[in-house]
């Protein structure tokens, strides 16, 4: 599959759309302008890859809407070399954005099919996350903690305690919380037991499910 001049043009349009919707972080916009999102999608959706919409991927999951990816990425305030944990690898698109931002990415996926597919696909595109893990994101990744930031890309019915516990001081957790509709929530760890909480609007995600499959 190719990344053509036409795709590049459509991507720049998408970047302009994101700017018009309020995304300001230059590095995030540059990453979205660079990553060939169409290659992360099934062929039947190729024509739609640069619309600001979510689309189905394998195993009844979705590739998040570009605005959502940009919004969450901006909230993480990633600096080069940051250790970042992602829950819900899915297509790997958000993972690639984090890699472009210079993060050392650990990403957990509970669907075996997606885990296998994305583990093969990302290196082909030239993205090398530190580690992709087949497991249950509710538990976080104790052996690699603490993290500079943690991003959850599925709707969580509640905030899993291990994720808060695995943040560095000043670390950031970005998590959509709720059942049918989720509130994007940012936690900043201010001390061992102190967290600042910000609520940042409504979103819709596929659910964060327990255990692996
Ligand atoms: N970041 C992905 C979004 C995929 S949708 C992308 O850009 O494509 C959310 C993903 O979270 C799905 O792949 C789903 O299988 C996964 N998921 C759901 N519950 C999970 C859990 N407990 N642990 C890890 N991954 C989970």
């Amino acid at each position: 599959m190719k990344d053509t001049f036409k795709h590049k043009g459509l991507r720049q349009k998408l970047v302009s759309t994101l700017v018009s919707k309020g995304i300001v972080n230059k590095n995030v916009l540059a990453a979205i302008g660079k990553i060939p999102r169409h290659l992360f999608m099934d062929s039947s959706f190729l024509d739609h890859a640069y619309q600001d919409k979510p689309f189905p991927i394998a195993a009844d999951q979705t590739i998040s809407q570009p605005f959502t990816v940009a919004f969450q990425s901006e909230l993480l305030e990633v600096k080069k070399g940051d250790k970042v944990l992602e829950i819900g690898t899915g297509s790997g698109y958000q993972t690639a954005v984090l890699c472009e931002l210079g993060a050392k990415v650990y990403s957990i996926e509970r669907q075996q099919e997606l885990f296998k597919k994305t583990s093969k696909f990302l290196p082909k595109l030239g993205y090398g996350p530190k580690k992709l893990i087949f497991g249950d994101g509710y538990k976080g990744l104790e052996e690699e903690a603490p993290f500079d930031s943690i991003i959850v890309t599925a709707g969580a019915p509640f905030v899993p305690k291990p994720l808060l516990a695995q943040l560095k001081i000043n670390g950031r957790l970005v998590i959509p919380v709720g059942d049918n509709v989720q509130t994007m929530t940012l936690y900043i760890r201010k001390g061992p037991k102190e967290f600042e909480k910000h609520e940042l609007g409504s979103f819709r995600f596929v659910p964060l499910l327990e255990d692996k499959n």
Side-chain angles (χ1 to χ4, degrees):
M1 290 221 296
K2 292 215 170 70
D3 190 27
T4 64
F5 195 66
K6 183 183 148 209
H7 292 125
K8 287 179 185 139
L10 290 171
R11 265 204 304 281
Q12 289 320 310
K13 270 202 185 147
L14 172 61
V15 168
S16 307
T17 304
L18 298 178
V19 170
S20 74
K21 291 185 177 179
I23 302 298
V24 293
N25 185 304
K26 293 272 185 301
N27 298 332
V28 170
L29 292 167
I32 288 175
K34 184 168 171 194
I35 301 169
R37 185 171 187 256
H38 61 287
L39 301 183
F40 292 75
M41 297 171 51
D42 294 333
S43 52
S44 45
F45 295 105
L46 285 186
D47 288 347
H48 306 290
Y50 296 106
Q51 294 177 11
D52 188 23
K53 288 185 183 164
F55 284 100
I57 51 174
D60 284 336
Q61 301 303 319
T62 56
I63 178 170
S64 301
Q65 181 177 345
F67 174 75
T68 305
V69 172
F71 190 76
Q72 288 194 281
S73 301
E74 194 163 76
L75 288 174
L76 291 176
E77 295 189 354
V78 176
K79 293 179 296 305
K80 262 205 171 68
D82 273 5
K83 200 169 180 182
V84 178
L85 176 65
E86 177 188 25
I87 312 297
T89 317
S91 69
Y93 180 71
Q94 172 75 67
T95 318
V97 170
L98 295 170
C99 291
E100 272 297 333
L101 295 174
K104 290 184 211 135
V105 187
Y106 296 78
S107 184
I108 308 178
E109 173 55 56
R110 71 174 283 283
Q111 283 277 358
Q112 176 111 23
E113 182 188 349
L114 281 171
F115 167 73
K116 282 192 180 153
K117 194 172 167 196
T118 303
S119 298
K120 275 197 203 137
F121 171 69
L122 279 177
K124 272 194 209 152
L125 259 199
Y127 289 105
K130 272 283 188 191
K131 205 169 182 192
L132 297 179
I133 300 109
F134 173 54
D136 178 8
Y138 274 94
K139 302 187 179 101
L141 195 61
E142 179 67 49
E143 64 269 31
E144 294 292 346
F147 295 94
D148 292 290
S149 57
I150 301 179
I151 174 174
V152 180
T153 70
F158 58 89
V159 182
K161 289 232 167 68
L163 301 186
L164 290 170
Q166 292 173 22
L167 281 179
K168 287 184 187 171
I169 302 295
N170 290 320
R172 302 163 82 86
L173 167 65
V174 174
I175 179 168
V177 186
D179 292 320
N180 296 324
V181 179
Q182 294 84 33
T183 303
M184 192 63 77
T185 313
L186 165 67
Y187 288 89
I188 306 173
R189 187 170 204 170
K190 290 296 182 185
K193 291 194 172 157
E194 246 181 287
F195 294 88
E196 207 177 273
K197 180 181 170 187
H198 304 263
E199 293 188 332
L200 300 147
S202 298
F203 290 79
R204 264 177 210 276
F205 285 79
V206 294
L208 187 69
L209 299 170
E210 290 193 63
D211 218 338
K212 54 193 177 187
N213 185 335

